Amino acid sequence: MNVKRLSRLSLTLAAALTVGQAFAATRGGQLTFGRYADSLFLDPVLNDANLDIWILTNLYDTLLQPTNDGKGVQPGLASSYTTSKDGKSMVLTLRPGLKFADGSALSASDVKWSLDRARNPEAGAWNSSLASINSIAVSGNKVTLNLKRPDPTLPAALATFNAAIMPQKLFTAAPGKNDAEKAKAFAEKPIGSGPFVLSEWKRGSYMVMKRNPYYWKKGDDGKALPYLDSVRFEIIPDDNTRILKLQAGELQIAEFIPLSRVAELKADSRLNMTLFPSTKVNSILMNNRPKLNDGTENPLSDVNVRQALNYAANKDALIQVVTYGTGKPMKSYMSATTPLFDAKQPGFPYDLVKAKALMAASKYKNGFEVTVLATSGNADDLALLTALQQMWGAIGVKLKIEQLDAATKTARYRANDFQMRTAAWTNDINDPSQITTYYAVFDNIESVHTGFKSAEIDKLFAQSQQELNPAKRAAQYQQIQSLYLKAAPIVYLYETPYPVAMSKKVKGFFQIPLGNNLFAGAYLEK
Amino acid sequence: MHASYVIRRLLQIIPTFLAVMLVVFLLVRLLPGDPASAILGDRATAEIVERTNRELGLDRPLPVQFGVFVRNLLQGDLGDSISLKIPVLRLIGERLPTTLFLTAYAAVLGVLMAVPLAVVAAVRRNTWVDGVIRAVFQVGLSLPVFYVALQLLSLLGARLGWFPIGGYGEGFGEHLYHLFLPALTLGLNLAAILVRTLRNSIIEVLTAEYVDFARAKGLRSRVIMTRHVLRNALIATITLLGLNIGALIGGAVITETVFAIPGVGRLMVDAIFGRDYPVIQGLTLTFALIVSLVFLITDLIHARLDPRAELS
């Protein structure tokens, strides 16, 4: 061995050691996390709210998992999966020795049972994500999904919370006459195979999850994750109180920091004010129908008007006013973090001249008055709409703001009884199909009740749902995004991040673009 | 006699209860929006909303729904929360003690602040002392509760670190410690209301003939104040306190939110926003019961202090 090689070797070794040290996570301890509201119901199939979804993945694991960047999926309980050539079946291989948090074995039959439950059309709001499955067969540690049709969204669907694997024996042993009753009982003390297990829950006050000693994933030190002994969620609805508690050291993480306070907290040397990339898009949904419910003519049915409103909205200014500079303009109806987002989409850059020309070309040359539904008590909605009042005033559109509580607002637009409404969206799955079925496809809920309908988009979307060639599918989505932009059924506003403030001691915590809070790799530096 | 009066009053609560029940049942159903949409969010399809409504029994005619509600109520069952999927009775059982503790704590602090200050203000009436006391409480009354709450939190909680920022703690001692700032917030508001009334009553009583008589007898002023003046002046104040305890329980909403206290005030707000009918109904009945009982107790104390008050 010559000297050069030896020194290179020792350099490599030294580098490896430093890298090892740099990644050496501290084990143990409790992390306290301030949430704005408590979870409601911890069943992966029968729940509906982000409050549940965003922490479920810590309790229940899925066969595949979304990647932290939001772009795809990675192995979970299944170490690998293969799709047949005709796309009509998928085989997943489970890791050896998997266990639930109570120490009992996780078998392929638990997988079959869980997925059968999740895809039952009578259960929950999410079964359609697994609708392409025709039947499930198991043998040893292999699970075979036989499909009705090729389904490019299936890997992402298997990485989504509702496809979580649950212990069949424990669930069926729970008291109750039917699935719903058993779910109620089971969800009070759920056992899954995620990194943590629920140990205490005082509703409305706090929840404690302790580490699952049987979790399969290993940390950088080669030992089982998670690093933390426990995570404690404190429910603190008031934004200011949550921040005060963080600053006083009573919390290590506080979520949903108001965007107005991001700059101030960034300047706090004890804190790590983080803006996690999200799939959140903020827009104004417009009623595209020719007539309103009361029979009057609807100016928003004119595509010139809709485009004019889009061009007249100065996104950069709105981003400053409403998001304090933390947002970025929407270029497509889907966020830039959504797979198959087309980066070449132009969006609607601010162009008052164009907006005026479009208004002049419309039936409403002299302008009109339009009412927008806002969520009462929402400061962001008010800031946004008062700014838009001025911007749209420049093209002769008079904006009236009607403030309603969320349930009333929902009731109004479900009945198509609205002209415009503020809206935000986050994806639940690492695939563009979900937002597309809601925003662009009429048949689901009339394109989020805007009434927008495009035969071309419907056709392209149907094709994309069976297209296994990634390049072809991307091209279909590119076209859908372009067609949608041209029709402008919504007012494109901005994308916003998830603002999370953390003590500098917190390392390895992640909120992925879907919103899930991941504590498996989190630790507290001493 | 007292016993029969109490029984009669308790029986009177029943029709009140029935009326409250019917009104609330109808009112929550008059609200725009339904529980299914509220829990399922913006994205639910019409079929899923319909299915959920069917599962919740909300597709049945109103009289049938009301019948089911009353039947279950007679069996001591308030139904399950729609969003949390646990029995309403259990939810209230978990949350109500916290709110009652906070209310009682606030009432005690409020009275402890109000009585001595009202006495001082009345005795030194129209002096600068009186002016300062009245001015301070006038300002206190006009400041929004959430503002006072946040100021107390950031000063005594965050800056000085004397009290925890929010939460409830475990056990009586910790409750006292954790709930001090929220109780003080509510207590200040209550004291502001009480001081004015009590001061005026004291002044009124001080000018009464029997006080002059007591003075003429040579009784010491402290004895006059506690035995004669306060006893009489408190009568009106106790009625006012009773009225305000009902308001305190309802008004704990803001305090509970700012101080992150898991009480029924916050539960009610969440239930209204979520159109969680069973929780709204259950809580309204509970509030009605508490207010009725507080009024009864107030009347009994009133009668005790003022033998002229007839219990009929």
Side-chain angles (χ1 to χ4, degrees):
Chain A
M1 189 188 277
N2 64 36
V3 180
K4 228 177 176 177
R5 248 177 83 189
L6 185 71
S7 65
R8 206 188 300 152
L9 184 72
S10 57
L11 268 176
T12 321
L13 261 175
L17 281 173
T18 9
V19 169
Q21 258 169 359
F23 283 111
T26 320
R27 283 193 169 261
Q30 174 168 280
L31 184 148
T32 309
F33 184 102
R35 296 186 85 188
Y36 80 102
D38 200 359
S39 288
L40 305 168
F41 181 51
L42 297 175
D43 181 274
V45 172
L46 301 180
N47 71 77
D48 313 280
N50 280 346
L51 286 170
D52 299 319
I53 295 170
W54 290 2
I55 68 148
L56 276 174
T57 35
N58 292 292
L59 302 175
Y60 301 98
D61 212 344
T62 42
L63 293 173
L64 305 173
Q65 293 176 344
T67 51
N68 285 358
D69 63 359
K71 294 292 180 195
V73 299
Q74 58 182 337
L77 293 173
S79 55
S80 68
Y81 69 95
T82 53
T83 310
S84 67
K85 274 216 179 86
D86 64 354
K88 299 277 282 273
S89 74
M90 181 192 269
V91 180
L92 295 119
T93 308
L94 295 181
R95 290 172 195 279
L98 287 172
K99 281 180 176 161
F100 287 109
D102 69 334
S104 64
L106 185 159
S107 71
S109 69
D110 289 307
V111 174
K112 175 178 160 53
W113 175 83
S114 300
L115 296 183
D116 279 340
R117 176 171 182 255
R119 69 192 185 91
N120 178 357
E122 284 300 304
W126 307 99
N127 57 72
S128 62
S129 70
L130 299 169
S132 64
I133 299 176
N134 188 38
S135 66
I136 302 172
V138 296
S139 135
N141 65 340
K142 297 246 189 284
V143 179
T144 307
L145 310 178
N146 299 304
L147 308 182
K148 296 170 192 160
R149 53 176 169 81
D151 183 1
T153 71
L154 197 54
L158 292 172
T160 303
F161 63 91
N162 63 316
I165 306 309
M166 299 170 73
Q168 180 185 3
K169 264 190 209 135
L170 295 175
F171 186 93
T172 44
K177 289 194 296 288
N178 50 36
D179 185 84
E181 282 184 17
K182 284 178 186 296
K184 275 184 197 179
F186 187 79
E188 297 235 349
K189 204 98 176 69
I191 301 284
S193 62
F196 291 90
V197 59
L198 185 72
S199 73
E200 216 187 331
W201 188 7
K202 199 149 180 256
R203 282 167 199 274
S205 186
Y206 65 88
M207 181 193 279
V208 182
M209 310 190 300
K210 62 173 202 270
R211 87 187 278 276
N212 167 10
Y214 303 101
Y215 188 53
W216 59 270
K217 208 186 259 183
K218 301 269 187 290
D220 292 314
D221 54 5
K223 286 187 259 176
L225 284 178
Y227 298 119
L228 291 164
D229 286 336
S230 57
V231 177
R232 183 183 167 96
F233 295 104
E234 296 262 4
I235 313 307
I236 307 147
D238 188 85
D239 295 336
N240 294 309
T241 311
R242 221 160 44 242
I243 294 171
L244 278 177
K245 251 176 121 73
L246 177 74
Q247 288 171 327
E250 292 177 28
L251 297 176
Q252 278 88 47
I253 305 184
E255 67 171 359
F256 283 101
I257 301 298
L259 296 174
S260 57
R261 299 195 61 183
V262 165
E264 169 205 341
L265 295 186
K266 267 197 172 144
D268 190 328
S269 60
R270 297 162 304 168
L271 300 181
N272 195 352
M273 179 66 235
T274 312
L275 299 171
F276 287 107
S278 86
T279 54
K280 190 167 182 186
V281 282
N282 304 267
S283 56
I284 290 182
L285 305 183
M286 294 185 269
N287 189 338
N288 285 226
R289 297 170 186 84
K291 292 250 158 84
L292 295 173
N293 267 13
D294 59 7
T296 54
E297 217 175 301
N298 179 12
L300 302 176
S301 63
D302 187 333
V303 66
N304 290 313
V305 168
R306 295 198 303 267
Q307 286 190 350
L309 291 170
N310 264 294
Y311 281 119
N314 185 342
K315 280 102 202 156
D316 293 324
L318 292 173
I319 285 167
Q320 286 310 319
V321 171
V322 189
T323 78
Y324 296 82
T326 61
K328 57 178 190 178
M330 269 172 86
K331 294 285 175 71
S332 159
Y333 63 89
M334 61 176 80
S335 70
T337 51
T338 308
L340 305 188
F341 161 78
D342 175 22
K344 293 202 187 74
Q345 290 291 321
F348 284 100
Y350 177 56
D351 190 336
L352 197 54
V353 177
K354 222 172 189 171
K356 283 181 175 162
L358 284 161
M359 280 300 281
S362 78
K363 279 191 285 174
Y364 302 89
K365 293 176 184 57
N366 301 321
F368 55 89
E369 190 181 87
V370 62
T371 304
V372 59
L373 307 186
T375 309
S376 61
N378 184 321
D380 289 352
D381 267 16
L382 264 192
L384 166 72
L385 295 174
T386 42
L388 279 175
Q389 262 174 346
Q390 293 182 14
M391 293 171 186
W392 287 346
I395 56 166
V397 175
K398 192 165 178 258
L399 187 65
K400 265 178 65 184
I401 304 168
E402 189 178 352
Q403 298 193 64
L404 300 170
D405 77 293
T408 308
K409 198 174 153 198
T410 303
R412 282 278 297 278
Y413 90 91
R414 287 189 74 88
N416 300 336
D417 180 16
F418 74 105
Q419 287 186 290
M420 289 183 167
R421 61 176 285 251
T422 54
W425 169 281
T426 50
N427 296 343
D428 299 300
I429 177 169
N430 261 5
D431 190 86
S433 57
Q434 189 197 21
I435 186 169
T436 306
T437 52
Y438 282 97
Y439 271 60
V441 176
F442 185 83
D443 278 350
N444 191 22
I445 51 167
E446 304 186 5
S447 308
V448 269
H449 296 280
T450 57
F452 165 75
K453 191 173 167 71
S454 153
E456 244 176 315
I457 289 183
D458 287 355
K459 200 175 123 206
L460 279 165
F461 179 70
Q463 286 168 357
S464 77
Q465 286 294 82
Q466 307 208 19
E467 183 54 68
L468 293 180
N469 180 325
K472 280 189 189 160
R473 193 164 183 250
Q476 288 160 345
Y477 267 102
Q478 191 176 14
Q479 240 185 311
I480 293 175
Q481 290 169 77
S482 297
L483 288 167
Y484 196 83
L485 189 87
K486 237 168 107 192
I490 63 173
V491 181
Y492 288 62
L493 296 175
Y494 37 77
E495 301 183 23
T496 42
Y498 297 127
V500 181
M502 305 187 263
S503 144
K504 281 245 160 85
K505 287 183 180 156
V506 176
K507 306 282 171 188
F509 168 79
F510 252 101
Q511 185 170 18
I512 66 171
L514 301 178
N516 306 6
N517 291 306
L518 304 187
F519 297 95
Y523 61 93
L524 289 169
E525 221 167 40
K526 289 255 157 67
Chain B
M1 228 355 262
H2 278 205
S4 66
Y5 170 77
V6 171
I7 290 167
R8 209 165 58 238
R9 278 288 297 267
L10 285 173
L11 288 176
Q12 275 170 9
I13 292 178
I14 294 172
T16 314
F17 230 61
L18 277 170
V20 168
M21 225 156 65
L22 184 64
V23 169
V24 170
F25 179 86
L26 292 174
L27 272 183
V28 292
R29 279 158 184 80
L30 276 177
L31 287 174
D34 58 303
S37 298
I39 55 170
L40 296 168
D42 296 356
R43 308 178 180 186
T45 60
E47 300 92 82
I48 291 173
V49 170
E50 204 179 300
R51 191 179 71 210
T52 310
N53 275 326
R54 198 170 55 240
E55 282 165 6
L56 297 171
L58 296 171
D59 57 335
R60 299 156 92 181
L62 280 188
V64 177
Q65 288 187 44
F66 188 67
V68 171
F69 172 53
V70 173
R71 193 189 64 209
N72 290 344
L73 189 67
L74 290 175
Q75 292 163 356
D77 177 9
L78 287 172
D80 284 3
S81 155
I82 290 172
S83 59
L84 302 172
K85 298 186 169 65
I86 58 172
V88 172
L89 213 55
R90 199 177 107 196
L91 258 182
I92 295 176
E94 282 169 7
R95 303 283 187 93
L96 187 61
T98 315
T99 302
L100 291 180
F101 191 105
L102 176 61
T103 311
Y105 199 174
V108 169
L109 289 184
V111 169
L112 285 180
M113 284 184 278
V115 172
L117 288 170
V119 169
V120 171
V123 172
R124 302 264 174 95
R125 63 182 170 279
N126 302 328
T127 66
W128 66 271
V129 182
D130 181 29
V132 167
I133 291 173
R134 287 165 65 192
V136 164
F137 279 105
Q138 195 59 43
V139 172
L141 206 54
S142 51
L143 286 176
V145 170
F146 75 89
Y147 179 79
V148 176
L150 273 176
Q151 290 308 314
L152 286 176
L153 258 190
S154 56
L155 179 68
L156 300 179
R159 202 156 320 151
L160 298 172
W162 291 352
F163 295 96
I165 300 161
Y168 182 48
E170 304 275 337
F172 187 77
E174 271 194 42
H175 291 346
L176 276 183
Y177 180 48
H178 276 80
L179 293 181
F180 179 75
L181 290 183
L184 184 65
T185 307
L186 289 173
L188 279 170
N189 201 269
L190 182 65
I193 298 168
L194 297 183
V195 160
R196 205 165 41 178
T197 322
L198 191 54
R199 173 187 170 275
N200 294 344
S201 321
I202 294 173
I203 290 171
E204 205 177 296
V205 177
L206 278 175
T207 55
E209 281 178 9
Y210 63 87
V211 175
D212 287 338
F213 178 69
R215 249 189 225 119
K217 272 201 311 190
L219 284 179
R220 275 182 306 169
S221 54
R222 177 174 296 172
V223 178
I224 296 176
M225 186 52 87
T226 50
R227 196 174 298 165
H228 297 281
V229 180
L230 263 185
R231 186 183 164 118
N232 287 297
L234 274 174
I235 293 168
T237 313
I238 278 172
T239 312
L240 192 67
L241 180 65
L243 282 171
N244 274 286
I245 283 185
L248 268 187
I249 291 175
V253 173
I254 298 164
T255 335
E256 286 179 359
T257 303
V258 173
F259 290 97
I261 302 161
V264 283
R266 241 173 73 197
L267 189 63
M268 186 64 150
V269 174
D270 291 345
I272 291 171
F273 281 134
R275 300 291 186 267
D276 201 334
Y277 294 169
V279 176
I280 303 174
Q281 286 162 187
L283 280 176
T284 314
L285 288 180
T286 311
F287 290 159
L289 185 66
I290 292 172
V291 170
S292 305
L293 290 177
V294 168
F295 284 178
L296 174 61
I297 293 168
T298 311
D299 284 352
L300 290 174
I301 296 174
H302 189 163
R304 195 62 192 271
L305 287 175
D306 185 358
R308 289 169 306 173
E310 271 182 41
L311 293 179
S312 59

